mmCIF file of all heavy atoms in Angstrom:
data_model
loop_
_atom_site.group_PDB
_atom_site.id
_atom_site.type_symbol
_atom_site.label_atom_id
_atom_site.label_comp_id
_atom_site.label_asym_id
_atom_site.label_seq_id
_atom_site.Cartn_x
_atom_site.Cartn_y
_atom_site.Cartn_z
ATOM 1 N N ALA A 261 80.670 114.453 76.627
ATOM 2 C CA ALA A 261 80.166 115.594 77.403
ATOM 3 C C ALA A 261 80.940 115.746 78.697
ATOM 4 O O ALA A 261 81.244 116.889 79.096
ATOM 5 C CB ALA A 261 78.683 115.380 77.703
ATOM 6 N N ALA A 262 81.304 114.627 79.359
ATOM 7 C CA ALA A 262 82.075 114.719 80.582
ATOM 8 C C ALA A 262 83.467 115.272 80.310
ATOM 9 O O ALA A 262 83.992 116.082 81.078
ATOM 10 C CB ALA A 262 82.188 113.313 81.206
ATOM 11 N N MET A 263 84.065 114.871 79.165
ATOM 12 C CA MET A 263 85.397 115.391 78.784
ATOM 13 C C MET A 263 85.323 116.867 78.482
ATOM 14 O O MET A 263 86.195 117.650 78.866
ATOM 15 C CB MET A 263 85.942 114.593 77.604
ATOM 16 C CG MET A 263 86.195 113.127 77.907
ATOM 17 S SD MET A 263 86.494 112.111 76.435
ATOM 18 C CE MET A 263 88.047 112.789 75.874
ATOM 19 N N GLN A 264 84.245 117.289 77.788
ATOM 20 C CA GLN A 264 84.109 118.730 77.443
ATOM 21 C C GLN A 264 83.920 119.537 78.719
ATOM 22 O O GLN A 264 84.457 120.659 78.842
ATOM 23 C CB GLN A 264 82.937 118.918 76.491
ATOM 24 C CG GLN A 264 82.782 120.354 76.040
ATOM 25 C CD GLN A 264 81.656 120.513 75.016
ATOM 26 O OE1 GLN A 264 80.913 119.605 74.780
ATOM 27 N NE2 GLN A 264 81.581 121.688 74.395
ATOM 28 N N SER A 265 83.127 119.008 79.651
ATOM 29 C CA SER A 265 82.893 119.724 80.897
ATOM 30 C C SER A 265 84.189 119.886 81.701
ATOM 31 O O SER A 265 84.405 120.925 82.331
ATOM 32 C CB SER A 265 81.863 118.984 81.724
ATOM 33 O OG SER A 265 81.693 119.583 82.990
ATOM 34 N N ALA A 266 85.049 118.882 81.613
ATOM 35 C CA ALA A 266 86.295 118.944 82.371
ATOM 36 C C ALA A 266 87.376 119.753 81.701
ATOM 37 O O ALA A 266 88.097 120.523 82.340
ATOM 38 C CB ALA A 266 86.823 117.524 82.609
ATOM 39 N N TRP A 267 87.476 119.637 80.367
ATOM 40 C CA TRP A 267 88.620 120.215 79.665
ATOM 41 C C TRP A 267 88.282 121.286 78.609
ATOM 42 O O TRP A 267 89.168 121.889 78.045
ATOM 43 C CB TRP A 267 89.416 119.104 78.963
ATOM 44 C CG TRP A 267 89.958 118.083 79.891
ATOM 45 C CD1 TRP A 267 90.362 118.272 81.182
ATOM 46 C CD2 TRP A 267 90.172 116.683 79.603
ATOM 47 N NE1 TRP A 267 90.826 117.104 81.719
ATOM 48 C CE2 TRP A 267 90.699 116.096 80.781
ATOM 49 C CE3 TRP A 267 89.950 115.901 78.483
ATOM 50 C CZ2 TRP A 267 91.041 114.757 80.859
ATOM 51 C CZ3 TRP A 267 90.265 114.540 78.564
ATOM 52 C CH2 TRP A 267 90.799 113.995 79.731
ATOM 53 N N GLY A 268 87.003 121.441 78.318
ATOM 54 C CA GLY A 268 86.629 122.403 77.289
ATOM 55 C C GLY A 268 86.823 121.821 75.905
ATOM 56 O O GLY A 268 86.197 120.801 75.575
ATOM 57 N N ALA A 269 87.646 122.438 75.096
ATOM 58 C CA ALA A 269 87.877 121.968 73.742
ATOM 59 C C ALA A 269 88.482 120.568 73.709
ATOM 60 O O ALA A 269 89.183 120.164 74.667
ATOM 61 C CB ALA A 269 88.786 122.945 72.993
ATOM 62 N N PRO A 270 88.231 119.767 72.660
ATOM 63 C CA PRO A 270 88.818 118.406 72.583
ATOM 64 C C PRO A 270 90.332 118.446 72.542
ATOM 65 O O PRO A 270 90.953 119.353 71.968
ATOM 66 C CB PRO A 270 88.254 117.873 71.255
ATOM 67 C CG PRO A 270 87.041 118.704 70.976
ATOM 68 C CD PRO A 270 87.329 120.070 71.524
ATOM 69 N N HIS A 271 90.946 117.462 73.175
ATOM 70 C CA HIS A 271 92.395 117.306 73.185
ATOM 71 C C HIS A 271 92.742 115.870 72.807
ATOM 72 O O HIS A 271 91.950 114.951 73.082
ATOM 73 C CB HIS A 271 92.986 117.602 74.561
ATOM 74 C CG HIS A 271 92.766 118.985 75.052
ATOM 75 N ND1 HIS A 271 93.601 120.048 74.762
ATOM 76 C CD2 HIS A 271 91.738 119.533 75.788
ATOM 77 C CE1 HIS A 271 93.161 121.157 75.331
ATOM 78 N NE2 HIS A 271 91.998 120.872 75.966
ATOM 79 N N GLN A 272 93.907 115.676 72.210
ATOM 80 C CA GLN A 272 94.388 114.309 71.989
ATOM 81 C C GLN A 272 94.527 113.640 73.362
ATOM 82 O O GLN A 272 95.227 114.138 74.226
ATOM 83 C CB GLN A 272 95.727 114.315 71.244
ATOM 84 C CG GLN A 272 95.668 114.858 69.834
ATOM 85 C CD GLN A 272 95.101 113.828 68.865
ATOM 86 O OE1 GLN A 272 94.191 113.075 69.183
ATOM 87 N NE2 GLN A 272 95.656 113.796 67.640
ATOM 88 N N THR A 273 93.868 112.511 73.522
ATOM 89 C CA THR A 273 93.743 111.906 74.868
ATOM 90 C C THR A 273 94.115 110.452 74.845
ATOM 91 O O THR A 273 93.895 109.725 73.883
ATOM 92 C CB THR A 273 92.270 112.073 75.359
ATOM 93 O OG1 THR A 273 91.918 113.430 75.392
ATOM 94 C CG2 THR A 273 92.056 111.458 76.732
ATOM 95 N N CYS A 274 94.695 110.029 75.958
ATOM 96 C CA CYS A 274 94.978 108.602 76.212
ATOM 97 C C CYS A 274 93.851 108.060 77.117
ATOM 98 O O CYS A 274 93.579 108.642 78.174
ATOM 99 C CB CYS A 274 96.314 108.416 76.882
ATOM 100 S SG CYS A 274 96.654 106.733 77.445
ATOM 101 N N VAL A 275 93.228 106.982 76.718
ATOM 102 C CA VAL A 275 92.242 106.329 77.588
ATOM 103 C C VAL A 275 92.889 105.111 78.221
ATOM 104 O O VAL A 275 93.544 104.312 77.536
ATOM 105 C CB VAL A 275 90.946 105.955 76.819
ATOM 106 C CG1 VAL A 275 91.267 105.029 75.648
ATOM 107 C CG2 VAL A 275 89.944 105.309 77.739
ATOM 108 N N THR A 276 92.762 104.967 79.523
ATOM 109 C CA THR A 276 93.415 103.892 80.242
ATOM 110 C C THR A 276 92.468 103.373 81.307
ATOM 111 O O THR A 276 91.447 103.986 81.640
ATOM 112 C CB THR A 276 94.753 104.348 80.858
ATOM 113 O OG1 THR A 276 95.440 103.214 81.378
ATOM 114 C CG2 THR A 276 94.524 105.363 81.971
ATOM 115 N N GLY A 277 92.826 102.192 81.854
ATOM 116 C CA GLY A 277 92.038 101.588 82.912
ATOM 117 C C GLY A 277 92.797 100.448 83.513
ATOM 118 O O GLY A 277 93.410 99.654 82.792
ATOM 119 N N LEU A 278 92.779 100.367 84.832
ATOM 120 C CA LEU A 278 93.423 99.250 85.544
ATOM 121 C C LEU A 278 92.351 98.342 86.083
ATOM 122 O O LEU A 278 91.432 98.757 86.798
ATOM 123 C CB LEU A 278 94.286 99.797 86.695
ATOM 124 C CG LEU A 278 94.985 98.752 87.572
ATOM 125 C CD1 LEU A 278 95.896 97.881 86.751
ATOM 126 C CD2 LEU A 278 95.777 99.433 88.709
ATOM 127 N N HIS A 279 92.430 97.053 85.687
ATOM 128 C CA HIS A 279 91.426 96.069 86.049
ATOM 129 C C HIS A 279 90.049 96.469 85.522
ATOM 130 O O HIS A 279 89.072 96.584 86.252
ATOM 131 C CB HIS A 279 91.349 95.892 87.580
ATOM 132 C CG HIS A 279 92.583 95.306 88.182
ATOM 133 N ND1 HIS A 279 92.817 95.225 89.530
ATOM 134 C CD2 HIS A 279 93.691 94.780 87.571
ATOM 135 C CE1 HIS A 279 93.988 94.692 89.743
ATOM 136 N NE2 HIS A 279 94.538 94.412 88.587
ATOM 137 N N ALA A 280 89.996 96.697 84.224
ATOM 138 C CA ALA A 280 88.731 97.006 83.539
ATOM 139 C C ALA A 280 87.944 95.709 83.444
ATOM 140 O O ALA A 280 88.190 94.859 82.580
ATOM 141 C CB ALA A 280 89.000 97.598 82.169
ATOM 142 N N CYS A 281 86.995 95.547 84.336
ATOM 143 C CA CYS A 281 86.355 94.255 84.565
ATOM 144 C C CYS A 281 85.267 93.949 83.522
ATOM 145 O O CYS A 281 84.415 94.779 83.218
ATOM 146 C CB CYS A 281 85.724 94.274 85.963
ATOM 147 S SG CYS A 281 85.021 92.697 86.456
ATOM 148 N N GLY A 282 85.324 92.712 82.964
ATOM 149 C CA GLY A 282 84.289 92.217 82.093
ATOM 150 C C GLY A 282 83.926 93.148 80.945
ATOM 151 O O GLY A 282 84.772 93.525 80.104
ATOM 152 N N ASP A 283 82.668 93.551 80.902
ATOM 153 C CA ASP A 283 82.171 94.373 79.799
ATOM 154 C C ASP A 283 82.819 95.732 79.713
ATOM 155 O O ASP A 283 82.796 96.387 78.682
ATOM 156 C CB ASP A 283 80.651 94.551 79.915
ATOM 157 C CG ASP A 283 79.895 93.281 79.630
ATOM 158 O OD1 ASP A 283 80.484 92.366 79.039
ATOM 159 O OD2 ASP A 283 78.699 93.199 79.983
ATOM 160 N N LEU A 284 83.380 96.196 80.834
ATOM 161 C CA LEU A 284 84.029 97.526 80.808
ATOM 162 C C LEU A 284 85.159 97.541 79.790
ATOM 163 O O LEU A 284 85.371 98.548 79.107
ATOM 164 C CB LEU A 284 84.561 97.879 82.201
ATOM 165 C CG LEU A 284 85.289 99.210 82.314
ATOM 166 C CD1 LEU A 284 84.398 100.369 81.880
ATOM 167 C CD2 LEU A 284 85.770 99.437 83.760
#
Side-chain angles (χ1 to χ4, degrees):
M263 295 168 67
Q264 183 176 10
S265 176
W267 299 328
H271 298 273
Q272 294 282 39
T273 301
C274 171
V275 58
T276 188
L278 177 59
H279 295 171
C281 185
D283 289 344
L284 179 57

